[in-house]
Amino acid sequence: MKTIMALGYVALVLHAHLPFVRHPERDYVLEEEWLYEAITETYIPLLRVFEGLQRDGIDFKITMSLTPPLVSMLRDPLLQERYHEHLGKLEELTLKEIENNQHNGHVRYLAEFYYQEFTQIRQTWAKYNGDLIVGFQQFLESNNLEIMTSGATHGYLPLMKMYPQAVWSQIKVACDHYNETFGRPPKGIWLPECAYYEGLEKMLAKAGLRYFIIDGHGILYAHPRPRYGTYAPVFTETGVAAFGRDHESSSQVWSSKMGYPGDPEYREFYKDLGWEADYDYIKPYIMPNGQRKNTGIKYHKITNTQGNMGNKEFYDPYWAREKAAEHAGNFMYNREQQISHLANMMQRPPVVVAPYDAELFGHWWYEGPWFLDYLFRKTWYDQSTFDMVHLADYLRHNPTQQLCRLSQSSWGYKGFHEFWLNDSNTWIYPHLHAATERMIDLSNLEPADELEERALNQAARELLLAQSSDWAFIMRTGTMVPYAVERTKTHLLRFNQIYDDFQLGTINANFLDSIEAIDNIFPNIDYRVYRFSGNREQGTGNRK
């Protein structure tokens, strides 16, 4: 046990989110593999790190958001069964690779490494009976993991602010879903895309939330200027605290020029067996229509080539692990120096908030979970300058903070809203706003029977799903754009059909059955959540 009083704190925060991608109406959809890849490369590896730390008596502290769409997918029996099959194909392919590379020593070594990895992933998957939320919850109960919520479907809240009902629904449905999942209310929220606008804190307070994450400049440009910058939270006028992202610790990981994931020893993400193997050989493991795709089996390291994918050296997990340990030590050393410097200037213990997308660790940066494992072990044994901390615990131990009015911001390109509102995606917002106005009208009605109640609740689900910031984000990045467009249009079309049928009194029970089976998120949603207006909920009305 540590006995020396630390000078300050580091709060490591991972944002685990994927859009709701579930297609029971089709046998195969490539986008469902976003979830399968994240399970294999991020979520199960993180659980294995947590298990190892707990086993070895290391009282680690880490915060994660598990968004409602991700939680819903991880607990969905259909997706669990499809992941079981997906993992089975990976195991089968690695066995073939071992057999076919008897005389290619390094490739055989890597194939055996992957087979061992997939075997351990299978063991963890079986340990939790395919429900990884059970795994994460055990660390919530042990107070090693603090779990935050996010927007119900990761809706971009500043672009909804003209409709308080829509913002409130994103927050309230998420908090209710968290309570149903974990048996307790959430303490904090990762605002989708860290996007904040002035006044949002009033709804967060009404929902019972104690803190939220904001990008650094949202605090640095607050009024009055925060005395301690981003190294202490600030209170909003509602009493909800805001923690700002630390630029220095973030850039050490995120930066394309100086970030750890770009080291030449690490695994190259963009060279995959699915694209490089003989076509007839790899065909059973790619898309059913014969198109190639990533398999997750990658044999090369980044190397020192400038964009030349044909000149990559073979990857070696042993040396990559050594590099991850080196980088963990460097990250720890830099935090020691940073916190020692800050502690000399502050009248309270500084807190360095280091938030990242969870999928960076393992999926994009294959060695990321190893880095985290080494970081927790090194900070526990090799230093006494700082402690790892949960944000709620920091607030509890430091209840007096400066009161500020925050600046509108996000963690996107240029720090505001441009990435989610630009020439590539601006067309979606008139349709989303029109649907929101219709949903507000529907929320003031009382159903005549169970079928009408189901229709109203499904309308709320469809609008929430259409509002996901992921669709606008994908349109802007230019990847998988047809799918993002299809999802936006499909949810809006389903919503509008429900609305029109409801107005005409001709609800189609078969249609409702089919979309309830497809878009089955939030089974306990109550459409009346859209009655919210200001600080009170509106009364009920009658259909005209």
Side-chain angles (χ1 to χ4, degrees), residues 9 27 148 170 205 260 308 313 333 356 371 375 477 514:
Y9 300 93
D27 291 333
M148 300 185 298
Q170 282 280 341
Y260 301 134
N308 183 357
E313 297 176 8
Y333 172 79
Y356 311 97
F371 169 86
L375 178 62
T477 59
S514 67

Side-chain angles (χ1 to χ4, degrees), residues 170-182:
Q170 282 280 341
I171 296 168
K172 183 66 165 65
V173 171
C175 290
D176 289 348
H177 184 266
Y178 184 104
N179 215 330
E180 294 167 7
T181 302
F182 299 109

Side-chain angles (χ1 to χ4, degrees), residues 425-467:
N425 53 36
T426 187
W427 64 269
I428 70 176
Y429 294 103
H431 300 288
L432 290 174
H433 295 166
T436 300
E437 292 173 2
R438 286 183 156 193
M439 188 66 234
I440 293 168
D441 290 342
L442 290 176
S443 73
N444 290 311
L445 305 178
E446 283 298 325
D449 53 33
E450 181 186 358
L451 184 64
E452 287 195 352
E453 177 118 12
R454 285 171 51 201
L456 291 168
N457 287 336
Q458 191 62 33
R461 290 188 190 98
E462 299 298 341
L463 177 56
L464 287 169
L465 289 168
Q467 289 171 335

Side-chain angles (χ1 to χ4, degrees), residues 235-246:
F235 282 123
T236 63
E237 62 179 10
T238 64
V240 181
F243 286 87
R245 176 168 69 146
D246 171 54

